[in-house]
Amino acid sequence: MKEWPTVGEMSDIGRLVLLGAPLGNPADASARFREVLATADVVAAEDTRRLTRLARDLDVTVPGRIVSYFEGNEERRTPELVEVLAAGYLVALVTDGGMPSVSDPGYRLVRAAVDAGVPVTAAPGPSAVTTALALSGLPVDRFCFEGFLPRTPGARRARLRALAAEERTLVFFEAPHRITGALADLAAAFGADRPAALCRELTKTYEEVLRRPLGELADWAAGGEPRGEITVVVAGAPAAAPERPDDDTLRAAVAAREAAGLSRRDAVTEVATEYGLRRRDVYTVVHA
């Protein structure tokens, strides 16, 4: 194994720390983020130049060795870093913004470190997913993160068709040069009136949040290619109304509740609520 500089006291086995990096504003870096940067033996960064600028903005000296860790070298670099961890070094992993491994490099290293019995922890920080959700003005009690859509139009449209009935709020990442096509396909698959929010350059100087139906967002993007990092939040599909049962089923449901001890009024109310019907209509069926 190559020689690595030791910043702190080595142990029998190292530790991997995932660092939640600022999305744009350096002031969002936590105290622990700064501490780990200043004490790690090795810092694996998605963009080493960007990390160097961030450390300078934070007035943090990084005494450990800085190595690149990005999509193009993850497969080759991961075994090297696991070897370093197994030797007792502290390794920090940082991406260009947000949490590592969330549509960013990191999953391979986390998986390999876990398999090697190396402790993995995090200095939590900013996340474009939760930030965009909070700013969107859309329901956030239940959501799902889809990351980047497929690059080719055909695969993208197929994926969106599969998601069209999803009732949870959806979160997507998209590149500026693909956002126009992606929004047009979203509007076609989900409906032009589906509420959505486009969040661009979060926490940066030119932050922009557009809360409009998908059709309007598609028209806006077609008017000029947006720039910067983009997160799109889309409202889930309306819940499907329960299928109305036939009259005999409704009578049986009311009778079963009455047999269990409910009054007819309460039994009718429960059945009406269960099937999304007006109580009056259920009464009419029961008394017919």
Side-chain angles (χ1 to χ4, degrees):
M1 185 185 76
K2 65 181 72 174
E3 292 296 324
W4 299 81
T6 304
V7 175
E9 182 178 347
M10 292 178 63
S11 58
D12 292 336
I13 193 163
R15 186 161 54 103
L16 174 63
V17 183
L18 310 180
L19 299 182
L23 301 176
N25 191 329
D28 291 336
S30 69
R32 188 153 174 245
F33 180 94
R34 300 164 187 256
E35 177 189 346
V36 174
L37 276 187
T39 57
D41 300 304
V42 177
V43 178
E46 183 177 10
D47 186 327
T48 58
R49 291 174 297 181
R50 190 163 180 169
L51 173 65
T52 301
R53 289 196 301 271
L54 177 59
R56 184 170 61 247
D57 291 339
L58 298 176
D59 195 24
V60 172
T61 299
V62 182
R65 179 170 177 176
I66 299 175
V67 299
S68 63
Y69 189 80
F70 58 97
E71 185 178 358
N73 73 354
E74 267 188 290
E75 189 171 352
R76 170 178 57 83
R77 184 75 79 185
T78 294
E80 297 177 3
L81 291 174
V82 171
E83 188 177 8
V84 170
L85 288 162
Y89 291 95
L90 172 62
V91 175
L93 177 62
V94 60
T95 61
D96 291 346
M99 285 299 297
S101 82
V102 181
S103 284
D104 270 334
Y107 168 76
R108 284 189 179 90
L109 181 56
V110 171
R111 184 69 261 169
V114 170
D115 290 343
V118 173
V120 180
T121 188
S127 165
V129 177
T130 53
T131 301
L133 277 166
L135 294 177
S136 70
L138 298 171
V140 297
D141 53 331
R142 296 172 64 243
F143 68 91
C144 57
F145 173 56
E146 281 292 315
F148 286 94
L149 286 166
R151 294 173 182 268
T152 61
R156 181 174 64 215
R157 290 165 190 157
R159 181 60 189 153
L160 292 176
R161 284 194 297 270
L163 292 170
E166 172 59 61
E167 295 179 7
R168 293 171 293 178
T169 298
L170 295 143
V171 184
F172 303 93
F173 288 163
E174 194 50 273
H177 64 281
R178 291 197 299 268
I179 189 61
T180 301
L183 286 171
D185 288 343
L186 275 162
F190 292 2
D193 294 333
R194 182 80 71 91
L198 184 145
C199 305
R200 188 180 69 85
E201 294 290 87
L202 288 170
T203 78
K204 299 177 182 177
T205 302
Y206 298 105
E207 176 181 282
E208 185 175 26
V209 179
L210 300 175
R211 303 173 185 88
R212 303 176 186 176
L214 282 171
E216 292 185 21
L217 287 177
D219 291 341
W220 171 82
E225 186 175 284
R227 297 182 179 181
E229 297 178 349
I230 296 171
T231 304
V232 179
V233 185
V234 183
E243 183 178 352
R244 187 194 186 285
D246 59 41
D247 291 353
D248 288 341
T249 300
L250 288 175
R251 292 190 192 98
V254 172
R257 285 164 172 79
E258 288 183 297
L262 288 182
S263 67
R264 173 157 293 187
R265 176 186 177 85
D266 290 342
V268 167
T269 299
E270 276 198 8
V271 172
T273 301
E274 179 180 351
Y275 292 106
L277 301 173
R278 294 186 303 175
R279 192 170 60 178
R280 180 191 310 167
D281 294 338
V282 178
Y283 261 121
T284 300
V285 169
V286 171
H287 289 284

